[in-house]
């Protein structure tokens, strides 16, 4: 098998070989090349020891942060390439980190520490594919399989559980039976994994093309990470608007939206509060009044626990809280939502609503979609007219108000908000003099 290696990676391999060392591209890049995809980065492994690496690449710009684990990053053409000494991992103490790593001269030992057969292949032009665990065959059969005994591998490092689901969700691999069973069995080891790592893998999983089927098959694993989701599993929705239970509606909505982390995460969490909000009317129909607020509260707890960055979490919480707003065709309502959400988030809200509708029943579907389309058109129209809907766009600011004698502080903020109300309602034009006059009037009235 011939793989097209990037010229820069090839150059590094050639240099190492010229110094008498072995060198191969290895891991994810080989997997992707065999899959027929373009690798996004090229990792290189070699029998050269760290101190030898430093010598060989003395003339290059390098970064040696990882050198004690055997990794030297070598800059070629402005891009860093990680060159790593063949390694075997020592005993794993905490389901994540080996207590020690040691270096070896044996490529197959290095490949044997890797997580999945598809990730345990190396390649160079002279020797072709080095594939002691049958990764290429597994790729041909579309199978994700642990290298070695699955239970042991997940015990060593539980993050592999989520890595495995990510590879399945992104590339469409079927998880081999024993590997799958071990993933289910060992899911609670994920409790020992740092929240940031879990969050990163989770984003990768939900953005995968095959996310919905992986999340369905491994929902118990997801619940080990987000226990709140378990309440939605098989929770019925007896209403004309739905044809799936809450969990399956969530899955359909996840796959109905663009694979952007914030949007996919919103869909994953948007209805998580439904079971807690559920009531039954005299006809036996379910209602979920206020579920969006409960969902947003739960989402906040979950995202905080996962140490999600603030901006990400703010987006998800806003979209969750507003996902169920029914646009009624009035400009006033669109202005209000624009004011609360701002330009970027309101556009995302339309995407969220369309995905939500796509995952509901056919009942009133066309009408629901038409309402979203109309609200979107109105929004774009308002935005193109540069209409005022936020404090930022108001023709006066706090300093202007102070210049007409309104003292800084809470009152000033309240006056600004009243001015924004007056402008969005069309009572006052968004002009400096008119606004200052109005500001004085409001201030005097409240005094
Ligand atoms: P990606 O497309 O996400 O970069 P990748 O397979 O390249 O996928 P990396 O995290 O870049 O993943 O790791 C590079 C290689 O290192 C993997 O292909 C695998 O061989 C090995 N590896 C990474 N993480 C682990 C792990 N937790 N356990 C065992 N091997 C691992
Ligand atoms: Mg990689």
């Amino acid at each position: 098998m011939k793989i097209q290696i990037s010229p820069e990676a090839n150059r590094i391999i050639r240099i190492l070989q010229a110094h008498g060392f072995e060198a191969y591209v290895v891991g994810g890049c080989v997997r992707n090349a065999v899959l027929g995809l373009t690798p996004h980065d090229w990792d290189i492994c070699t029998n050269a020891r760290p101190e030898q690496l430093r010598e060989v690449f003395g003339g290059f710009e390098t970064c040696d942060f990882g050198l004690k684990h055997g990794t030297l990053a070598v800059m070629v053409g402005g891009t860093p390439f990680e060159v790593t000494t063949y390694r075997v991992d020592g005993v794993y103490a905490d389901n994540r980190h080996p207590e020690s790593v040691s270096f070896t001269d044996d490529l197959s030992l290095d490949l044997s520490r890797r997580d999945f057969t598809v990730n345990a292949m190396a390649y160079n032009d002279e020797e072709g594919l080095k594939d002691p665990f049958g990764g290429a065959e597994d790729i041909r059969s579309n199978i994700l399989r642990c290298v070695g005994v699955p239970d042991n591998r997940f015990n060593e490092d539980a993050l592999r559980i989520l890595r495995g689901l990510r590879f399945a969700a992104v590339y469409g691999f079927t998880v081999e039976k024993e590997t799958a069973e071990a993933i289910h069995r060992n899911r609670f080891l994920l409790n020992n994994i740092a929240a940031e790592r879990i969050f990163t893998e989770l984003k990768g999983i939900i953005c995968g093309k095959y996310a919905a089927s992986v999340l369905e098959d491994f929902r118990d694993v997801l619940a080990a990470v987000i226990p709140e989701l378990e309440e939605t599993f098989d929770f019925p929705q007896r209403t004309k608007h739905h044809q799936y239970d809450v969990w399956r509606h969530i899955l359909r909505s996840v796959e109905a939206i663009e694979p952007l982390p914030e949007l996919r995460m919103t869909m994953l969490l948007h209805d998580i509060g439904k079971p807690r909000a559920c009531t039954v009317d005299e006809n036996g129909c379910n209602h979920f009044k206020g579920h969006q607020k409960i969902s947003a509260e739960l989402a906040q707890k979950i995202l905080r626990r996962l140490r999600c960055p603030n901006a990400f979490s703010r987006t998800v919480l806003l979209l969750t809280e507003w996902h169920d707003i029914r646009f009624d065709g009035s400009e006033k309502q669109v202005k209000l939502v624009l004011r609360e959400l701002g330009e970027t988030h309101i556009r995302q809200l339309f995407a969220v609503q369309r995905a939500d509708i796509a995952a509901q029943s056919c009942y009133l579907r066309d009408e629901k979609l038409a309402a979203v389309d109309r609200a979107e058109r109105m929004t774009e129209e308002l935005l193109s007219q540069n209409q005022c809907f936020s404090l930022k766009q108001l023709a006066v600011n706090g300093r202007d108000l102070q210049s007409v004698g309104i003292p800084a502080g809470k009152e000033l903020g309240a006056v600004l908000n009243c001015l924004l109300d007056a402008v969005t309602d069309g009572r006052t034009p968004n002009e400096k003099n008119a606004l200052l006059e109005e500001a004085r009037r409001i201030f005097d009235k409240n005094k």
Side-chain angles (χ1 to χ4, degrees):
M1 178 181 299
K2 173 97 178 114
I3 286 177
Q4 199 64 44
I5 307 180
S6 89
E8 293 84 2
N10 232 342
R11 190 172 155 210
I12 293 175
I13 291 176
R14 299 263 167 273
I15 293 172
L16 283 160
Q17 288 172 334
H19 283 80
F21 297 113
E22 299 174 9
Y24 303 86
V25 288
V26 69
C29 58
V30 181
R31 175 197 67 225
N32 282 11
V34 174
L35 275 165
L37 306 170
T38 311
H40 49 83
D41 48 16
W42 295 89
D43 296 329
I44 292 146
C45 64
T46 176
N47 61 348
R49 297 295 158 111
E51 59 282 10
Q52 295 171 318
L53 282 177
R54 231 207 292 251
E55 258 173 55
V56 170
F57 294 103
F60 285 76
E61 187 188 336
T62 58
C63 169
D64 60 5
F65 285 169
L67 206 61
K68 66 172 188 297
H69 300 113
T71 302
L72 184 71
V74 180
M75 297 294 291
V76 184
T79 314
F81 288 80
E82 292 199 343
V83 186
T84 305
T85 307
Y86 298 159
R87 247 172 51 183
V88 280
D89 296 332
V91 176
Y92 282 75
D94 53 0
N95 307 122
R96 173 72 193 131
H97 298 104
E99 278 185 339
S100 60
V101 296
S102 51
F103 302 121
T104 166
D105 294 322
D106 185 350
L107 171 66
S108 44
L109 278 181
D110 180 272
L111 294 176
S112 72
R113 76 174 164 87
R114 294 170 185 271
D115 44 8
F116 301 101
T117 62
V118 298
N119 288 344
M121 298 182 284
Y123 176 90
N124 68 22
D125 284 339
E126 291 68 34
E127 292 170 70
L129 199 64
K130 297 283 191 178
D131 180 18
F133 305 102
E137 177 56 32
D138 281 344
I139 285 184
R140 258 189 299 280
S141 325
N142 214 27
I143 283 176
L144 190 80
R145 183 199 311 271
C146 280
V147 172
V149 179
D151 277 315
N152 298 348
R153 303 314 309 279
F154 295 128
N155 257 287
E156 287 170 358
D157 178 0
L159 189 66
R160 290 172 187 154
I161 292 174
L162 294 184
R163 283 175 56 83
L165 299 192
R166 172 163 62 88
F167 295 127
V170 171
Y171 302 109
F173 293 125
T174 302
V175 186
E176 176 273 330
K177 188 163 172 284
E178 279 184 32
T179 300
E181 285 169 4
I183 285 180
H184 290 297
R185 236 185 341 262
N186 291 290
R187 64 190 187 279
F188 291 114
L189 294 178
L190 285 167
N191 292 331
N192 304 337
I193 298 297
E196 292 85 349
R197 310 301 296 259
I198 290 182
F199 181 66
T200 303
E201 292 299 339
L202 191 58
K203 280 188 299 183
I205 294 170
I206 61 179
C207 287
K209 187 169 168 201
Y210 306 90
S213 87
V214 171
L215 291 174
E216 175 64 351
D217 293 347
F218 294 93
R219 66 184 198 175
D220 56 332
V221 180
L222 190 66
V225 174
I226 306 180
E228 293 87 345
L229 268 173
E230 201 159 350
E231 294 172 28
T232 70
F233 295 171
D234 308 314
F235 195 95
Q237 306 196 79
R238 293 189 190 89
T239 136
K240 284 183 284 195
H241 294 278
H242 283 278
Q243 54 179 331
Y244 301 117
D245 61 56
V246 177
W247 168 241
R248 288 185 180 85
H249 162 71
I250 287 176
L251 290 184
R252 298 283 83 80
S253 75
V254 166
E255 67 184 354
I257 206 159
E258 239 188 308
L260 298 171
E262 278 128 318
L263 297 183
R264 290 255 161 134
M265 189 67 82
T266 301
M267 297 331 293
L268 185 69
L269 302 178
H270 79 285
D271 272 353
I272 196 168
K274 265 191 170 169
R276 299 188 190 189
C278 183
T279 55
V280 189
D281 68 18
E282 62 277 10
N283 303 318
C285 293
N286 290 140
H287 298 274
F288 303 97
K289 205 162 173 285
H291 75 277
Q292 57 280 49
K293 206 161 166 54
I294 303 177
S295 295
E297 283 163 12
L298 286 171
Q300 182 170 37
K301 269 200 212 141
I302 292 163
L303 294 174
R304 199 174 282 156
R305 203 170 59 221
L306 292 174
R307 299 199 190 287
C308 164
N310 282 336
F312 188 111
S313 155
R314 197 177 112 77
T315 300
V316 174
L317 299 184
L318 269 178
L319 293 173
T320 299
E321 194 166 338
W322 287 85
H323 80 264
D324 214 28
I325 181 162
R326 309 280 153 79
F327 284 106
D328 59 13
S330 76
E331 191 174 278
K332 193 167 165 205
Q333 188 196 28
V334 171
K335 279 185 172 170
L336 178 120
V337 179
L338 247 174
R339 178 171 165 179
E340 292 295 325
L341 292 187
E343 186 175 335
T344 308
H345 290 134
I346 199 171
R347 289 206 176 105
Q348 292 172 326
L349 178 66
F350 299 134
V352 166
Q353 292 206 322
R354 290 193 176 106
D356 194 5
I357 294 166
Q360 295 171 1
S361 67
C362 292
Y363 176 67
L364 296 181
R365 179 174 289 167
D366 292 342
E367 288 82 349
K368 292 175 192 172
L369 287 172
V372 179
D373 290 346
R374 191 174 48 199
E376 185 176 46
R377 275 197 307 273
M378 286 169 98
T379 302
E380 295 306 330
E381 176 79 22
L382 288 169
L383 288 169
S384 71
Q385 295 164 350
N386 263 327
Q387 287 228 16
C388 173
F389 53 82
S390 72
L391 288 178
K392 254 197 336 233
Q393 294 164 303
L394 217 50
V396 293
N397 58 26
R399 207 183 297 264
D400 298 323
L401 296 199
Q402 285 175 44
S403 75
V404 295
I406 301 175
K410 224 163 96 192
E411 279 165 322
L412 188 139
V415 173
L416 275 172
N417 273 309
C418 289
L419 292 179
L420 183 57
D421 285 339
V423 172
T424 44
D425 292 353
R427 282 179 278 124
T428 311
N430 189 20
E431 291 162 14
K432 193 163 178 179
N433 286 334
L435 287 172
L436 288 179
E437 218 171 278
E438 177 70 8
R440 278 277 5 154
R441 215 183 48 72
I442 297 169
F443 183 67
D444 291 339
K445 199 174 82 189
N446 292 347
K447 241 191 334 208

